[in-house]
Amino acid sequence: MSEWRENHNGNFVYVDDGVVTTVFRGSDGEWIGIREGLITDKEFKTSAAAMEAIDEDKVKFSVKTRSADTGWRAAKKGGFYRQNAAGIATVKQSRSGKWYVTVNGRMVEGHWLNTKEEAVKLADRCMC
């Protein structure tokens, strides 16, 4: 199984080459996956079943979601954030002065950027 991580709100997130896949409980209690603004064509009784089906390519991401994109906003604790159907991305500046990106609570590793604008571009690509 891929390296799924549970985030602070009980969703499961997997990032592969900058593409974020999230498994979450829908309003009907069933578990579904979302990737790049598309959701899985099937629902599952458990998060584990949804993650396994995604890992084994037993589902298609085909149902377009409505985007509730907030655009980039200043965060109360510093940095900036954007929320859309794919989740939440943040860009923050480290003590070294470099910028980094988190998507759904997980840092996009290996990407220390020189400017906020570069970080926002990377985050936007991860949130498509």
Side-chain angles (χ1 to χ4, degrees):
M1 192 188 264
S2 299
E3 195 173 318
W4 291 88
R5 296 187 186 216
E6 187 172 4
N7 65 15
H8 66 281
N9 57 0
N11 297 336
F12 294 87
V13 179
Y14 175 66
V15 180
D16 183 29
D17 199 25
V19 177
V20 178
T21 304
T22 303
V23 168
F24 64 98
R25 188 184 303 265
S27 59
D28 62 357
E30 297 288 310
W31 290 86
I32 54 179
I34 185 168
R35 178 187 294 154
E36 298 180 322
L38 301 175
I39 60 173
T40 53
D41 57 354
K42 295 180 185 174
E43 296 181 338
F44 300 88
K45 297 285 182 204
T46 66
S47 59
M51 290 183 283
E52 182 179 336
I54 291 168
D55 285 344
E56 295 176 0
D57 290 325
K58 292 182 177 178
V59 294
K60 292 184 185 342
F61 289 85
S62 58
V63 181
K64 185 83 172 156
T65 61
R66 289 178 274 153
S67 176
D69 199 325
T70 62
W72 286 100
R73 298 177 177 185
K76 291 179 183 177
K77 294 184 178 181
F80 301 87
Y81 75 97
R82 173 184 171 201
Q83 182 173 356
N84 70 13
I88 299 174
T90 62
V91 296
K92 294 182 180 179
Q93 192 171 29
S94 68
R95 290 182 186 163
S96 70
K98 295 284 188 176
W99 289 82
Y100 64 96
V101 176
T102 65
V103 177
N104 293 323
R106 184 172 177 202
M107 185 174 169
V108 178
E109 295 183 31
H111 292 280
W112 291 93
L113 305 155
N114 294 320
T115 66
K116 177 185 105 179
E117 292 75 19
E118 290 174 319
V120 165
K121 284 181 184 178
L122 174 61
D124 284 340
R125 284 196 313 270
C126 292
M127 296 290 287
C128 308

